[in-house]
Amino acid sequence: MLRVAGRRLFSVSQRSTTNATSFLLSDGFGGGDQSSSATRPLPSADLDSYHRSSLVRGFSSQVLTQGGNEVGFGSEPATVEAVKTPNSKIVYDDHNHERYPPGDPSKRAFAYFVLSGGRFVYASVLRLLVLKLIVSMSASKDVLALASLEVDLGTIEPGTTVTVKWRGKPVFIRRRTEDDIKLANSVDLGSLRDPQEDSVRVKNPEWLVVVGVCTHLGCIPLPNAGDYGGWFCPCHGSHYDISGRIRKGPAPYNLEVPTYSFLEENKVLIG
């Protein structure tokens, strides 16, 4: 609408310019008879300045373009004309485009307070997100509770095996007899697939603590079974002896020995 209004005012200004020019030509710039004024031409400098002053007064939505010595309205949009042909004669109509004065300097403290408060809120939210991410990556309370397991050995009879759960895996605790200890130490290490002495796998010869997961495909072997009196995996036929060492079958390694320590004579801490 501003463009249409500008064009209408431009046509009105052209008409008024034509009328004013005719009046000046007929009047002869004030004075003289009509015969002399009709033959007296209007100075080109005055006419050009009159045209310029008439064209400058308009809406800011129209752009004054300068081509050679003439100044006029371009056919392209105002922003395009302003970029292509910048002109210092473009003026704004204060009645249609109100300009507000700059802010009150006395309110700078309030502005600084608002900006600082916003930045503090952003920093707090970022800190909270980082803490949430770190907490989500750490172990939960139930996992930390299972990190170590305390087992009472007083109820385990000689020659029997007890299975406990530690970190989601079964752990075999076997109380060995004297015959079991002698049998484990009498094995020729050269005949073993994964050679290990029995003294390396135990901290107390009476107690054997191993992870109850077959080293072949992760099955759970059966205690007190197999050809060597230790454990037998029925999935693929792996046999382990009384020290948890692989003696027969596809399993490549011995049963794993977890980290454990004796707190008391009849109490062990796994993990």
Side-chain angles (χ1 to χ4, degrees):
M1 293 182 69
L2 291 178
R3 187 183 298 276
V4 175
R7 290 177 179 176
R8 290 181 179 178
L9 287 179
F10 175 67
S11 61
V12 172
S13 63
Q14 289 282 18
R15 294 174 185 174
S16 61
T17 304
T18 305
N19 296 333
T21 306
S22 302
F23 174 75
L24 290 174
L25 291 175
S26 62
D27 188 61
F29 288 94
D33 52 359
Q34 295 182 356
S35 60
S36 62
S37 63
T39 59
R40 183 181 179 182
L42 182 66
S44 60
D46 296 336
L47 183 59
D48 185 59
S49 62
Y50 184 82
H51 276 285
R52 289 174 182 270
S53 62
S54 300
L55 292 176
V56 168
R57 292 191 296 271
F59 290 90
S60 62
S61 60
Q62 298 291 342
V63 178
L64 292 172
T65 59
Q66 184 174 2
N69 295 327
E70 297 181 358
V71 179
F73 290 97
S75 60
E76 298 185 0
T79 54
V80 178
E81 291 287 353
V83 172
K84 288 184 177 180
T85 57
N87 197 311
S88 61
K89 295 182 178 298
I90 300 177
V91 295
Y92 286 91
D93 190 352
D94 293 335
H95 297 285
N96 295 332
H97 302 276
E98 185 177 0
R99 292 187 177 182
Y100 295 97
D104 189 358
S106 62
K107 296 182 179 180
R108 290 179 181 174
F110 177 75
Y112 291 156
F113 174 77
V114 172
L115 292 176
S116 302
R119 292 171 182 173
F120 176 76
V121 172
Y122 295 151
S124 300
V125 172
L126 180 61
R127 174 180 173 273
L128 181 61
L129 293 177
V130 172
L131 290 178
K132 287 288 186 180
L133 178 63
I134 295 175
V135 171
S136 64
M137 296 175 63
S138 61
S140 58
K141 293 182 179 180
D142 55 346
V143 175
L144 293 176
L146 295 175
S148 59
L149 178 65
E150 186 175 326
V151 181
D152 185 10
L153 305 177
T155 58
I156 301 177
E157 298 293 334
T160 59
T161 303
V162 173
T163 304
V164 296
K165 187 177 182 180
W166 173 69
R167 294 183 180 179
K169 297 182 293 185
V171 175
F172 298 147
I173 302 177
R174 182 182 180 90
R175 187 173 185 178
R176 302 189 297 183
T177 61
E178 292 294 334
D179 295 337
D180 295 336
I181 297 173
K182 292 179 181 180
L183 180 62
N185 290 322
S186 63
V187 176
D188 182 15
L189 297 180
S191 63
L192 299 178
R193 183 177 303 170
D194 185 13
Q196 275 186 326
E197 295 183 358
D198 182 70
S199 59
V200 177
R201 298 178 55 82
V202 296
K203 294 183 177 182
N204 185 347
E206 184 180 3
W207 299 98
L208 175 68
V209 181
V210 292
V211 177
V213 177
C214 181
T215 58
H216 180 219
L217 293 178
C219 305
I220 299 178
L222 301 177
N224 300 325
D227 296 344
Y228 300 91
W231 289 268
F232 171 70
C233 181
C235 298
H236 300 91
S238 296
H239 297 258
Y240 299 90
D241 63 7
I242 203 65
S243 185
R245 295 172 294 193
I246 181 64
R247 301 293 298 274
K248 184 179 178 182
Y253 303 108
N254 303 330
L255 294 179
E256 179 186 358
V257 178
T259 302
Y260 69 95
S261 60
F262 286 93
L263 300 179
E264 299 177 3
E265 184 179 359
N266 291 327
K267 187 173 292 186
V268 63
L269 178 67
I270 304 174

